[in-house]
Amino acid sequence: MPANMLSADTQAWGIFSGTEEIQSLAAFLQPEGHAVTFCYSLHSFPDRSHHTEAVAIGKLVQDQIAKFASGALPKALSKDLDVILAMTEEIQRTPARWRAVYTCGAQNILREFDLPAPESAARLNVAGHFFLSPLLGAMQSCRQYRVVLVESGKARLFEVRGTEIQEIVHSLPEGDLTRRSEDSRVGWSKHIDGNVEHQERAWFRMLVEKLGQLPGEHGPGTLVVGCRDDMQGELQPCFAGLEDSVIGWFHLPSFEMGAEQVLNEARPLFEQYEQERCRNLLHAIDEDHVHGVQGLNDVLKGLVARRVQTIMVGDMRDQIVAECATCRQLQPKLTGRCASCGSSMLVPVPADEALIRLALAQKTEILIFPHDEAKPFIGVAAMLRY
């Protein structure tokens, strides 16, 4: 195994375009076109023996081998495909984990990512460049956020990354409140006296202050709150200082609910927030006739001029751009010559991957539009710096 392999435990939970590891993958070029990208995750299990995974991975590999004439498969590429097949047993043990492998044995490269992403995936690409859009989308879906469960005088805190959730014990204060209703599920706020009500509000404020002091990220979209419906009206004003951080609220059926139940309540709120965040950016791009650009040609032009601040990549299947085989400059059309060096050696490459590689090289913020069957985003858009 190459010494420069990336550990699967790498902390890669968001879109960090400055991450050197991902930038190096974006910059990699295999002139013979034998760079291997493999992504796999399965979230439904029709076959409990997990034979499904072996068949699927085997077919992906055989489809690539079939592109070569008999006996013409390069030895180094054959070994890289064997690396993918060798992962089958490990994948069968935890098929819901999202895995990506980038390998090119001819240049001693092997990178592995193991993420708790909720998306299913099954793809194997062999090309001159690595394919990074699936990885960035999976990383984006694993952005970390917290969930706090609030009850009268007590709270629980969880950290979530994709399909993983962990309770952080002893991280929040408890309130010493008297005369609480014995049945916390029944209209307690109508039966406690003014003194306890004052203590309750003071404890809420202390809790919110503590949440704001916890180490880690406190930016927009980093907190989900669970509480009883009858408590939310009194609790919500106390979160005014963390309003931008709050993704959403959900009804707390039981303070002692398990971690998986918490995840089932919080995850839809996170996914909805991510979709709305991306749609808000698209709306801002659409409204800004000076800095907002849409469509492949205009976004590529902005990237080439190094003017793009944020790029939003949607479904770009079947869209291609031309890459000069001599100077690697990108241009929208395959016709004619390279506008930079004049070479006639223009090759078609997937448009989304080409734009992402260019954006990574410029440390541009990248957003992959989340999957949304009802309102998908087709194409690409960007906000310019100037």
Side-chain angles (χ1 to χ4, degrees), residues 159-185:
E159 286 189 351
V160 182
R161 294 186 179 96
T163 59
E164 287 185 343
I165 183 169
Q166 179 180 7
E167 184 168 7
I168 311 300
V169 297
H170 308 306
S171 56
L172 297 176
E174 292 188 3
D176 184 14
L177 306 179
T178 58
R179 293 181 60 186
R180 293 191 296 269
S181 171
E182 292 183 3
D183 186 350
S184 62
R185 297 169 296 176

Side-chain angles (χ1 to χ4, degrees), residues 91-111:
I91 289 173
Q92 287 174 315
R93 288 196 292 269
T94 54
R97 296 289 296 187
W98 198 96
R99 290 178 173 83
V101 178
Y102 297 92
T103 180
C104 182
Q107 298 191 33
N108 198 39
I109 289 180
L110 176 60
R111 304 284 191 274

Side-chain angles (χ1 to χ4, degrees), residues 53-360:
E53 296 89 328
V55 172
I57 296 170
K59 185 178 186 308
L60 289 173
V61 170
Q62 288 303 316
D63 286 347
Q64 292 298 328
I65 293 175
K67 295 178 180 180
F68 294 85
S70 178
L73 182 67
K75 185 176 181 181
L77 177 57
S78 177
K79 290 183 177 180
D80 288 334
L81 296 177
D82 286 343
V83 168
I84 305 304
L85 288 173
M87 293 188 65
T88 302
E89 184 176 346
E90 179 184 348
I91 289 173
Q92 287 174 315
R93 288 196 292 269
T94 54
R97 296 289 296 187
W98 198 96
R99 290 178 173 83
V101 178
Y102 297 92
T103 180
C104 182
Q107 298 191 33
N108 198 39
I109 289 180
L110 176 60
R111 304 284 191 274
E112 295 184 24
F113 293 83
D114 182 346
L115 302 173
E119 296 86 3
S120 293
R123 61 184 294 172
L124 179 63
N125 300 98
V126 178
H129 297 283
F130 291 128
F131 284 59
L132 295 172
S133 60
L135 174 63
L136 295 188
M139 291 168 66
Q140 185 174 303
S141 71
C142 292
R143 182 174 65 82
Q144 179 179 304
Y145 61 98
R146 292 182 171 125
V147 182
V148 60
L149 308 185
V150 184
E151 182 54 280
S152 181
K154 53 187 178 180
R156 297 170 67 192
L157 184 69
F158 298 81
E159 286 189 351
V160 182
R161 294 186 179 96
T163 59
E164 287 185 343
I165 183 169
Q166 179 180 7
E167 184 168 7
I168 311 300
V169 297
H170 308 306
S171 56
L172 297 176
E174 292 188 3
D176 184 14
L177 306 179
T178 58
R179 293 181 60 186
R180 293 191 296 269
S181 171
E182 292 183 3
D183 186 350
S184 62
R185 297 169 296 176
V186 179
W188 62 274
S189 60
K190 297 181 181 178
H191 302 289
I192 59 176
D193 59 27
N195 181 53
V196 174
E197 197 171 311
H198 175 76
Q199 293 178 13
E200 194 84 31
R201 286 195 297 268
W203 180 78
F204 286 161
R205 290 192 294 269
M206 180 177 66
L207 171 65
V208 173
E209 181 180 358
K210 178 63 176 178
L211 285 169
Q213 295 172 349
L214 290 172
E217 178 63 45
H218 296 283
T222 53
L223 184 65
V224 173
V225 184
C227 68
R228 295 194 321 274
D229 289 341
D230 65 321
M231 181 183 289
Q232 183 174 340
E234 297 185 42
L235 182 59
Q236 201 159 359
C238 298
F239 276 80
L242 296 177
E243 184 176 3
D244 289 342
S245 299
V246 176
I247 293 172
W249 299 69
F250 67 88
H251 169 66
L252 187 63
S254 169
F255 183 74
E256 303 301 331
M257 65 192 301
E260 287 301 314
Q261 290 177 290
V262 174
L263 181 62
N264 290 338
E265 295 286 350
R267 182 73 200 178
L269 294 174
F270 173 80
E271 291 175 349
Q272 181 181 358
Y273 177 89
E274 288 293 284
Q275 290 178 357
E276 290 179 355
R277 180 168 72 108
C278 289
R279 293 201 180 280
N280 289 339
L281 176 59
L282 287 176
H283 179 72
I285 291 171
D286 188 55
E287 292 292 311
D288 192 332
H289 301 297
V290 177
H291 302 99
V293 293
Q294 299 190 51
L296 175 57
N297 289 2
D298 287 342
V299 172
L300 178 57
K301 182 179 178 180
L303 281 169
V304 171
R306 307 183 73 87
R307 294 180 57 196
V308 174
Q309 175 178 305
T310 303
I311 181 172
M312 172 80 69
V313 181
D315 185 350
M316 299 187 72
R317 282 176 291 185
D318 302 325
Q319 295 193 52
I320 62 171
V321 295
E323 181 180 48
C324 176
T326 303
C327 71
R328 299 301 164 185
Q329 184 75 17
L330 298 175
Q331 59 189 52
K333 305 293 184 182
L334 276 169
T335 57
R337 293 179 174 270
C338 173
S340 179
C341 71
S343 172
S344 61
M345 298 178 64
L346 300 178
V347 295
V349 293
D352 54 351
E353 295 295 333
L355 296 177
I356 285 172
R357 287 194 298 272
L358 191 52
L360 283 166

